[in-house]
Amino acid sequence: MNEPVLVQTDGHIGIATLNRPDVLNALSVELMDKLIDHIEAFDRDPDIRVIIIAGSEKVFAAGADIADMSGATFLDMYDRNNLGRWMRIKMVRTPIIAAVSGFALGGGCELAMACDMIVASESAKFGQPEIKLGVMPGLGGTQRLTRAIGKQRAMEMILTGRFMSAKEAYEAGLVTSVASKEQFLAEALRLAGRIAEMPPIAVKLAKESVNKADELSLQEGLAYERTLFYSLFATEDQTEGMQAFIEKRKPEYRGK
Ligand code: HXC
């Protein structure tokens, strides 16, 4: 019962659920280390085509564990480099959906933004309140929030610590979709299910190409995309997908 992250599978979907309810799923070092280990295990599993990271209906995660950090010095933080290890999430090739209800604050908001899509419940609240603790975002908030909602809005949120509602987050482009509190997890599973029906190699390469948009110039990104597009013609799934279209039947993708 004390496992900070619970894992289960549902068909081709791997689900990791944050499980520290007493402290609003505060992201302890142990939780973050286990979470990335589980995600990497899902990523290596050929049967898993989509990953969901979920909290509870009440809270996604209220940020890094403040009790863990409160007595730390610069050298403690620098030597431990716990956040550096978390950068492994960028290497995960399987699409990841964050299912967010309640608070997604600080490291919790950054964890959601490190995923590829966010399905939110109407009660979701996103924020980077680190400034109120004498620090600032450290897990990607200044970069990913800025890219997601633009400099003007990200600056205001990060400098004041204000929370954003699900509706505002949707309108600003931070989240993929919003569902009721009762339905947000089912909605995330529905989205995952739709992606899991697609040819797995094309899904992974498309994810990689979309994420390159944050890093490459347009010219480089277009060239990168074109190469990945051509390379998919080496897969059986491309033959199957196009053949099935011509024969007017449902394709059967095997990830080959
Ligand atoms: C440790 C936390 C916590 C956190 C809540 N708790 N957030 N413990 N780390 N981030 C604990 C509380 O101490 C309390 O424990 C219990 O969870 C319930 O919280 P309450 O505050 O009583 O609940 P509520 O009044 O509903 O307020 C909810 C809240 C508030 C608004 C989310 O808890 C809050 O402001 N939390 C901190 C949010 C935050 O600043 N996050 C950024 C962290 S820094 P007890 O024992 O009293 O019941 C960060 C850095 C990121 O994330 C970069 C590196 C990863």
Side-chain angles (χ1 to χ4, degrees):
M1 259 331 268
N2 288 332
E3 270 306 307
V5 183
L6 306 175
V7 285
Q8 64 187 107
T9 59
D10 179 353
H12 291 302
I13 304 165
I15 305 161
T17 304
L18 311 180
N19 183 42
R20 296 187 77 210
D22 295 347
V23 286
L24 307 185
N25 289 339
L27 304 170
S28 61
V29 172
E30 186 198 9
L31 182 152
M32 293 298 275
D33 283 353
K34 290 201 165 163
L35 181 60
I36 189 67
D37 286 346
H38 287 309
I39 291 172
E40 286 179 339
F42 280 144
D43 195 38
R44 285 192 299 271
D45 183 340
D47 283 337
I48 296 299
R49 297 183 178 182
V50 185
I51 299 166
I52 293 177
I53 300 178
S56 65
E57 187 188 304
K58 187 175 164 217
V59 63
F60 180 69
D65 193 318
I66 299 169
D68 266 5
M69 296 183 294
S70 63
T73 64
F74 163 75
L75 266 189
D76 294 333
M77 297 300 281
Y78 186 77
D79 283 346
R80 291 178 200 154
N81 195 23
N82 296 322
L83 304 185
R85 283 203 298 286
W86 177 248
M87 295 303 134
R88 280 153 52 195
I89 195 169
K90 274 203 73 170
M91 306 303 288
V92 172
R93 297 186 301 180
T94 310
I96 309 175
I97 300 170
V100 175
S101 187
F103 294 112
L105 304 178
C109 186
E110 293 168 306
L111 168 59
M113 291 191 294
C115 297
D116 301 302
M117 287 155 281
I118 301 176
V119 174
S121 92
E122 285 161 352
S123 75
K125 285 193 172 56
F126 298 88
Q128 300 288 161
E130 291 93 335
I131 202 82
K132 296 181 186 171
L133 299 170
V135 288
M136 59 178 275
L139 206 61
T142 61
Q143 305 305 300
R144 291 202 173 102
L145 189 64
T146 306
R147 283 171 166 78
I149 69 174
K151 176 184 157 182
Q152 308 301 330
R153 291 188 188 195
M155 192 70 89
E156 182 257 336
M157 283 186 68
I158 289 167
L159 299 192
T160 67
R162 181 177 73 83
F163 300 165
M164 197 182 237
S165 69
K167 181 171 180 287
E168 188 181 352
Y170 179 74
E171 285 165 1
L174 181 63
V175 308
T176 310
S177 60
V178 181
S180 69
K181 258 194 323 197
E182 296 73 30
Q183 282 295 314
F184 80 101
L185 198 52
E187 178 58 29
L189 280 161
R190 258 193 301 277
L191 173 58
R194 276 168 40 217
I195 296 167
E197 284 178 13
M198 299 298 150
I201 304 170
V203 164
K204 285 179 174 163
L205 294 192
K207 162 177 166 159
E208 187 177 323
S209 198
V210 171
N211 283 333
K212 285 287 177 198
D214 280 342
E215 288 159 20
L216 301 180
S217 70
L218 180 60
Q219 204 55 32
E220 290 164 332
L222 292 172
Y224 195 85
E225 177 192 84
R226 201 161 52 241
T227 305
L228 294 185
F229 174 77
Y230 292 153
S231 70
L232 284 168
F233 285 76
T235 66
E236 291 175 17
D237 284 345
Q238 172 270 326
T239 312
E240 167 64 8
M242 294 192 180
Q243 201 62 41
F245 177 83
I246 288 163
E247 293 168 8
K248 300 190 189 303
R249 61 174 172 81
K250 196 171 182 298
E252 274 186 40
Y253 292 122
R254 300 193 305 131
K256 299 226 159 128

